[in-house]
Amino acid sequence: MTSTTHEDSFTEDYWRDPHETLARTRETSPVREVEFETGPTWLVTRYADVRAGLTDERLAKDWRSSLPEDERASAPPGLPAPMSHMLTSLDPPEHTRLRNLVVQAFTARRIAELRPRVEAVAAELLDALPEDEPIDLVARYAIILPMVVICELLGVPDIDREEFARLSTVLIDECPEPEMILASTRMADYLEGLVATKRAAPDKALLSALITASDEGDRLSDLEIVAMAMLLLMAGHETTAVFITNSVRALLSDPTGLDRLYSPASAPSLIEELLRWLSPAINASLRFATEDMEIGGVAIPRGASVMLSTGGANRDPAQYPAPTTFDPDRDTTGHLAFGHGIHRCLGAALVRLEGEVGLTALFTRFPHMRTAADPTTLTFRKSVHVHAPRTFPVVLGPRTPQQQPPQV
């Protein structure tokens, strides 16, 4: 989605520090209209309004649901295929049917079983990194770790990771529509070929399971399988990559609570506060009002698009005292980093696991890591959905033996 310049919304200041913009908006106009090239959108920033909106059935993910019933069938989807068939673009019953086919692969128990493999991938990546020269932590670690894991989970063979990451970034960040369509087409073409390969020679991974389910009568079309694979591949590495990158930035700037990483008992509370404080998916994807309604006392007309800001909600002082303070001891119950309701992030447990393992392995192996660039020189992705630098140069410093956490 491409934004236009607005006095206090999506300007260069927003790309660098969206939390400041969202805080100002939450204080002065918690439900306000902002302009995008595709038209106006209502931005919602208070916790109570965002949480309620995430479960409000009057806010649909498919814009066609806002049309009169006799016009819906002939109206085009809001996104090109296969993106229009992703879970993030669907409402029940289609959303329910597709989500039920994959939800068992992402239960907390199933994800916990992946811990040894995630630890092994992290160790292998860290083994290959130099100690005394600057590296881009994004390209060399934060992106690759979750990409390897989600590709193995789905049964996707080794691919051109750099090209895949580029296509994924195009589809998530601000870019011209023709470029987005081209990136979607290239990724879909690759996955269509992979579906054909898996159908001929299935394995035990998730993509083959989806194909088998379809062939046995669960009514998944090849387009739906490709859309599901595309979503899982994109979201399966983007969210974790953003989370790891911003968590390292935060912990290098303020090491409060860093020692918690080295204890299995205390690491989860640190991860939850990082999730609340950083909100890796800072704004939810668009929803559309299916009738005239009110949000936070503001009239929203039928057909209007609505953006629920989970990042704004997670720093709402009405929900969390001193919300801009990073406090690993706080009660983070109810944070919306993964959304809420039927569209809650399917891979939440996987992001938590990869974040905890990825950060623990990195800071354990390289306790003297430091930034290698002036923070003011970092350039940030122009995306209304995620906030992260395009690159993050660091010098790792001397490594410690793999199994020994540093003294703190």
Side-chain angles (χ1 to χ4, degrees), residues 282-297:
I282 202 161
N283 295 306
S285 56
L286 290 181
R287 286 163 166 80
F288 301 90
T290 59
E291 61 182 64
D292 293 340
M293 59 185 296
E294 284 192 1
I295 298 178

Side-chain angles (χ1 to χ4, degrees), residues 101 207-220 225:
L101 289 171
L207 187 56
S208 287
L210 291 175
I211 295 168
T212 301
S214 177
D215 292 343
E216 292 178 355
D218 278 349
R219 297 176 291 108
L220 251 72
I225 295 172

Side-chain angles (χ1 to χ4, degrees), residues 7 58 75 90-91 144 157 166 176 185 197 299 302 313 366 378 395:
E7 181 181 357
R58 297 172 298 174
L90 299 176
D91 301 301
I144 299 178
R166 188 192 71 79
T185 300
T197 299
R302 177 177 180 169
F366 297 106
L378 296 177
V395 174

Side-chain angles (χ1 to χ4, degrees), residues 10 14 18-19 22-23 26 30 42-47 49-51 54 279 281-284 306-315 336 384:
F10 298 102
Y14 175 87
H19 294 289
L22 293 171
R26 187 179 55 243
W42 290 91
L43 178 66
V44 182
T45 51
R46 282 191 303 217
Y47 181 93
D49 296 333
V50 171
R51 184 178 172 89
L54 289 169
S279 296
I282 202 161
N283 295 306
V306 176
M307 181 177 290
L308 303 173
S309 178
T310 51
N314 280 337
R315 293 197 181 192
L336 302 176
V384 297

Side-chain angles (χ1 to χ4, degrees), residues 130-190:
E131 298 180 355
D132 54 359
E133 62 185 64
I135 65 158
D136 175 16
L137 190 72
V138 177
R140 298 288 298 275
Y141 186 67
I143 284 180
I144 299 178
L145 173 61
M147 186 179 293
V148 170
V149 173
I150 193 63
C151 284
E152 291 184 355
L153 184 63
L154 282 167
V156 177
D158 289 342
I159 58 177
D160 186 334
R161 292 170 179 166
E162 185 175 341
E163 175 65 5
F164 182 82
R166 188 192 71 79
L167 293 175
S168 179
T169 298
V170 167
L171 294 172
I172 291 176
D173 289 4
E174 176 178 312
C175 69
E177 186 174 353
E179 188 176 347
M180 181 188 73
I181 293 174
L182 179 60
S184 175
T185 300
R186 286 181 175 174
M187 194 178 295
D189 287 346
Y190 170 82

Side-chain angles (χ1 to χ4, degrees), residues 80-317:
M83 295 177 70
S84 58
H85 288 69
M86 288 181 177
L87 283 174
T88 49
S89 302
L90 299 176
D91 301 301
E94 291 84 0
H95 173 272
T96 306
R97 174 175 63 88
L98 293 174
R99 187 178 175 105
N100 284 344
L101 289 171
V102 295
V103 69
Q104 290 303 314
F106 292 92
T107 62
R109 181 183 63 81
R110 290 280 184 90
I111 295 304
E113 293 171 355
L114 296 176
R115 178 177 287 270
R117 180 56 185 154
V118 178
E119 291 174 338
V121 173
E124 180 180 345
L125 293 174
L126 294 175
D127 284 344
L129 296 179
E131 298 180 355
D132 54 359
E133 62 185 64
I135 65 158
D136 175 16
L137 190 72
V138 177
R140 298 288 298 275
Y141 186 67
I143 284 180
I144 299 178
L145 173 61
M147 186 179 293
V148 170
V149 173
I150 193 63
C151 284
E152 291 184 355
L153 184 63
L154 282 167
V156 177
D158 289 342
I159 58 177
D160 186 334
R161 292 170 179 166
E162 185 175 341
E163 175 65 5
F164 182 82
R166 188 192 71 79
L167 293 175
S168 179
T169 298
V170 167
L171 294 172
I172 291 176
D173 289 4
E174 176 178 312
C175 69
E177 186 174 353
E179 188 176 347
M180 181 188 73
I181 293 174
L182 179 60
S184 175
T185 300
R186 286 181 175 174
M187 194 178 295
D189 287 346
Y190 170 82
L191 290 172
E192 286 171 2
L194 185 60
V195 168
T197 299
K198 296 290 184 180
R199 179 168 277 124
D203 54 28
K204 296 182 179 180
L206 180 56
L207 187 56
S208 287
L210 291 175
I211 295 168
T212 301
S214 177
D215 292 343
E216 292 178 355
D218 278 349
R219 297 176 291 108
L220 251 72
S221 67
D222 280 4
L223 179 59
E224 289 173 331
I225 295 172
V226 168
M228 182 71 76
M230 183 181 293
L231 174 63
L232 294 176
L233 284 169
M234 289 169 53
H237 85 275
E238 281 279 359
T239 305
T240 300
V242 168
F243 180 54
I244 289 177
T245 300
N246 286 337
S247 293
V248 173
R249 290 175 58 221
L251 293 171
L252 289 179
S253 175
D254 177 8
T256 301
L258 182 58
D259 58 322
R260 292 171 184 252
L261 273 179
Y262 312 121
S263 167
S266 59
S269 65
L270 176 65
I271 295 299
E272 293 307 306
E273 172 64 351
L274 285 167
L275 286 166
R276 179 205 69 85
W277 196 65
L278 296 169
S279 296
I282 202 161
N283 295 306
S285 56
L286 290 181
R287 286 163 166 80
F288 301 90
T290 59
E291 61 182 64
D292 293 340
M293 59 185 296
E294 284 192 1
I295 298 178
V298 176
I300 308 296
R302 177 177 180 169
S305 62
V306 176
M307 181 177 290
L308 303 173
S309 178
T310 51
N314 280 337
R315 293 197 181 192
D316 186 347

